């Protein structure tokens, strides 16, 4: 783990109409760190994640990615998004494309690498997530866990600097959660910088370097997961943990 | 003279009419698809002025009878020396474009927003995500109502008879008036239309099947 700061967020604010969703968020994530965002639904964790790859535009504050302050006025956000991988709760695989076509789509059309090269890389990624035998299958034929692993491979195919996970296991049947978490754990061990919105406290405890508890758009408490979960300092954190553990 | 002999005696002329009906329909549908796509994009552009332009277009088409539109196009365009055929084709395309725009708009908006977000999160531009991710799915979803609209367009081309084009319907009414026997020729022309529509439906179904391979 180096001390290079991968993501820095300062005084980030975001509102939807009258709803103030993110309030003065400050956060610094170093290279190869794994951070878990926890909190009740509506606490702003997903919005925070979406502000980091500009699927939502912040109202004010700073977002610094890989040392570069990103503003929509000065940056081609498409290029920024290509550097930040995102995995969604509902997978969002392209249903009209096979598994391997899903993975090679962006490398070919966004990064403009050759199809041959994209296929070689995609095959390696699919092997890594344990889906080599599903290359030519359409997503509709896959289980939820398999879909999410393809989605992870698809995001990795762009060779992102950071991976964002937005409740990656929330839409899965309980017996399929493990395979996705195992893939994510492997990724963390390889040194990928990851920010994960999750309700999987076991995963957070085991893999995360630190965890963030959010409540009503604010970061309430930050700490090492083991510490945060067993010894929360804030009452709100304790109440939340009592309700989910 | 019974119906069958009438059919045999007139089929060379009817086949010519059928060819013209076919040409009018195919060419106007082809143009209407592009008009439809264009106005569908205006409607989903989220730019108020552009949406308004599309609304006005659809309002005009839906609010006036097709036969009026065809006459306006006919008299308007032939007065600047456009051939009859193209005047009618543009009239039909203008009309069907509005309905096709609504079909495309509905299909595009029915695609889960997560698809667009997934594309954009991979660094795709709006245009790339549209053409590679959203449109292929939307077109697949639009096929059944599009096929329906194609068949409506084919039958609506009979209105070209009003401005003297010798398509199927005009052939039938001409024979009917010359021989004082409308009924026989209307029954005969109904069969020609049925054959054409049947042929159209088969093509649409074949395309649907080919595109449904991923489901």
């Amino acid at each position: 783990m180096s001390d290079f700061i991968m993501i820095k967020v300062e005084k980030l604010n975001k509102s939807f109409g009258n709803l103030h969703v993110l309030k003065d968020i400050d956060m610094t994530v170093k290279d190869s760190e794994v951070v878990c965002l926890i909190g009740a639904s509506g606490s702003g964790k997903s919005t925070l994640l979406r502000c980091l790859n500009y699927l939502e535009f912040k109202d004010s504050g700073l977002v610094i990615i890989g040392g570069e302050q990103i503003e929509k006025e000065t940056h081609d956000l498409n290029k920024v998004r290509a550097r930040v991988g995102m995995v969604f709760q509902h997978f969002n695989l392209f249903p009209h494309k096979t598994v391997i076509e899903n993975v090679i789509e962006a490398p070919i059309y966004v990064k403009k690498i050759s199809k041959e090269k994209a296929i070689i890389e995609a095959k390696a990624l699919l092997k890594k997530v344990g889906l080599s035998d599903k290359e030519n299958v359409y997503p509709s034929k896959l289980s939820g866990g398999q879909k999410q692993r393809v989605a992870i491979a698809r995001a990795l195919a762009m060779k992102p600097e950071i991976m964002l996970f937005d409740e990656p296991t929330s839409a899965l049947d309980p017996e399929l959660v493990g395979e996705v978490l195992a893939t994510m754990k492997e990724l963390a061990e390889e040194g990928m910088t990851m920010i994960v919105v999750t309700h999987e406290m076991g995963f957070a405890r085991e893999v995360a370097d630190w965890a963030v508890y959010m409540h009503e758009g604010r970061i309430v408490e930050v700490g090492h997961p083991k510490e945060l979960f067993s010894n929360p300092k804030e009452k709100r954190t304790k109440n939340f943990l009592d309700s989910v553990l | 003279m019974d119906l069958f002999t009438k059919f045999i005696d007139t089929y060379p002329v009817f086949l010519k009419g059928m060819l013209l009906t076919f040409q009018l329909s195919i060419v106007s549908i082809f143009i209407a698809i592009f008009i439809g796509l264009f106005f569908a994009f205006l409607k989903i552009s989220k730019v108020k002025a552009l949406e308004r332009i599309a609304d006005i277009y659809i309002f005009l088409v839906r609010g006036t009878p097709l036969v009026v539109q065809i006459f306006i196009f006919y008299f308007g365009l032939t007065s600047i020396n456009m051939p009859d055929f193209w005047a009618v084709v543009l009239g039909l395309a203008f009309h069907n474009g509005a309905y096709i725009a609504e079909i495309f708009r509905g299909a595009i908006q029915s695609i889960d927003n997560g698809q667009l977000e997934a594309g954009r999160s991979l660094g795709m531009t709006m245009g790339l995500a549209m053409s590679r991710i959203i449109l292929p799915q939307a077109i697949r979803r639009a096929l059944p109502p599009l096929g329906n609209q194609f068949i409506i367009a084919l039958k609506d081309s009979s209105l070209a008879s009003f401005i003297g084009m010798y398509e199927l319907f005009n052939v039938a009414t001409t024979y009917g008036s010359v021989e004082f026997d409308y009924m026989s020729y209307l029954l005969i022309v109904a069969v020609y239309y049925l054959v054409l529509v049947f042929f159209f439906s088969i093509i649409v179904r074949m395309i649907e099947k080919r595109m449904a391979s991923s489901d």
Side-chain angles (χ1 to χ4, degrees):
Chain A
M1 200 176 296
S2 74
D3 279 340
F4 182 70
I5 292 172
M6 209 44 129
I7 287 198
K8 192 174 171 73
V9 176
E10 276 178 29
K11 294 246 175 283
L12 184 72
N13 279 279
K14 172 72 186 172
S15 297
F16 294 115
N18 291 327
L19 196 65
H20 200 169
V21 196
L22 294 177
K23 299 165 188 163
D24 288 335
I25 300 290
D26 287 312
M27 192 165 83
T28 304
V29 183
K30 289 185 195 144
D31 186 25
S32 297
E33 274 186 335
V34 177
V35 179
C36 282
L37 302 182
I38 60 170
S41 62
S43 58
K45 10 184 237 312
S46 287
T47 307
L48 173 56
L49 215 57
R50 293 161 62 83
C51 282
L52 295 181
N53 76 344
Y54 288 78
L55 283 179
E56 303 288 354
F57 294 127
K58 64 189 163 72
D59 295 337
S60 65
L62 296 181
V63 174
I64 298 161
I65 298 177
E68 243 185 297
Q69 184 186 329
I70 310 291
E71 299 295 341
K72 64 178 169 184
E73 290 79 13
T74 55
H75 282 77
D76 179 353
L77 294 181
N78 298 313
K79 295 219 166 73
V80 176
R81 291 193 192 100
R83 292 162 53 196
V84 181
M86 178 126 182
V87 172
F88 300 87
Q89 181 178 1
H90 295 288
F91 330 125
N92 299 354
L93 291 181
F94 307 134
H96 58 303
K97 294 182 184 298
T98 62
V99 164
I100 195 149
E101 285 168 352
N102 264 275
V103 180
I104 64 175
E105 179 71 20
I108 292 177
Y109 288 92
V110 178
K111 274 201 166 167
K112 315 261 188 231
I113 73 170
S114 74
K115 192 171 178 187
E116 292 71 31
K117 192 166 175 241
I119 287 176
I120 292 169
E121 292 179 1
K123 286 190 173 181
L125 283 170
L126 288 173
K127 189 171 176 205
K128 183 166 150 175
V129 299
L131 290 170
S132 286
D133 54 331
K134 302 289 184 192
E135 269 178 31
N136 298 310
V137 169
Y138 282 98
S140 58
K141 297 278 187 291
L142 299 177
S143 73
Q146 291 170 332
K147 283 181 191 168
Q148 197 59 299
R149 286 185 284 150
V150 173
I152 292 172
R154 180 177 68 176
L156 289 176
M158 291 299 284
K159 303 201 173 76
E161 297 159 33
I162 307 145
M163 285 282 281
L164 309 175
F165 294 82
D166 190 2
E167 303 202 24
T169 58
S170 299
L172 298 177
D173 291 334
E175 75 271 22
L176 301 176
V177 170
E179 60 189 67
V180 172
L181 293 181
T183 303
M184 291 167 60
K185 193 179 164 195
E186 201 179 312
L187 206 54
E189 282 162 1
E190 286 171 12
M192 175 62 76
T193 310
M194 294 162 60
I195 303 178
V196 186
V197 171
T198 188
H199 297 291
E200 294 293 332
M201 299 302 165
F203 174 81
R205 198 185 290 257
E206 198 183 343
V207 181
D209 295 298
W210 44 282
V212 174
Y213 171 65
M214 287 182 69
H215 181 73
E216 291 179 353
R218 277 183 210 285
I219 292 181
V220 174
E221 192 165 350
V222 177
H224 189 276
K226 285 190 183 117
E227 185 117 340
L228 186 75
F229 295 166
S230 42
N231 259 324
K233 292 186 183 62
E234 296 279 335
K235 192 157 181 303
R236 282 174 298 184
T237 317
K238 189 174 183 311
N239 289 344
F240 173 74
L241 290 168
D242 286 345
S243 69
V244 294
L245 290 177
Chain B
M1 219 169 30
D2 69 332
L3 208 54
F4 186 68
T5 39
K6 280 182 178 163
F7 177 79
I8 296 295
D9 287 347
T10 58
Y11 85 85
V13 182
F14 268 107
L15 283 185
K16 261 192 197 163
M18 185 152 94
L19 181 66
L20 184 56
T21 292
F22 185 74
Q23 287 168 333
L24 283 171
S25 320
I26 288 288
V27 179
S28 63
I29 286 167
F30 188 76
I31 298 170
I33 287 173
F34 289 97
I35 297 177
L37 261 183
F38 176 74
F39 283 99
F41 281 129
L42 291 195
K43 277 219 77 157
I44 59 170
S45 65
K46 290 187 178 133
V47 179
K48 277 274 172 293
L50 298 180
E51 280 177 50
R52 197 31 73 80
I53 291 172
D55 285 340
I56 290 170
Y57 165 60
I58 291 165
F59 173 76
L60 288 177
V61 170
R62 274 208 288 230
T64 54
L66 173 55
V67 68
V68 174
Q69 294 164 18
I70 287 178
F71 269 98
I72 290 174
F73 268 81
Y74 176 71
F75 286 115
L77 294 177
T78 51
S79 72
I80 54 166
N81 294 325
M82 189 177 273
D84 294 6
F85 177 83
W86 287 102
V88 175
V89 159
L90 289 181
L92 286 168
F94 170 81
H95 178 83
N96 284 295
Y99 291 94
I100 290 175
E102 286 291 72
I103 290 171
F104 277 135
R105 179 186 64 82
I108 290 170
Q109 286 178 339
S110 78
I111 303 298
D112 176 27
N113 196 38
Q115 290 291 310
L116 185 63
E117 289 193 341
R120 309 236 43 201
S121 78
L122 290 166
M124 292 185 183
T125 59
M126 194 67 181
L128 189 61
M130 244 322 147
S131 65
R132 298 284 312 168
I133 308 302
I134 305 299
L135 275 185
Q137 297 182 58
I139 287 172
R140 203 167 301 187
R141 215 168 274 188
L143 268 180
L146 271 183
N148 205 29
Q149 190 61 37
F150 293 169
I151 286 166
I152 291 172
L154 177 104
K155 295 192 288 185
D156 280 353
S157 71
S158 59
L159 291 170
S161 63
F162 279 98
I163 51 153
M165 300 221 73
Y166 272 97
E167 46 66 66
L168 275 178
F169 185 65
N170 204 0
V171 172
T173 50
T174 305
Y175 271 120
S177 67
V178 170
E179 302 193 7
F180 298 107
D181 180 13
Y182 278 103
M183 191 46 118
S184 302
Y185 290 103
L186 288 173
L187 289 174
I188 287 170
V189 82
V191 174
Y192 282 103
Y193 275 116
L194 278 171
V195 170
L196 262 185
V197 168
F198 182 67
F199 177 68
F200 254 53
S201 326
I202 286 177
I203 292 177
V204 170
R205 210 170 310 151
M206 266 166 41
I207 298 172
E208 264 178 59
K209 240 186 213 150
R210 272 196 58 168
M211 295 192 82
S213 57
S214 63
D215 299 324

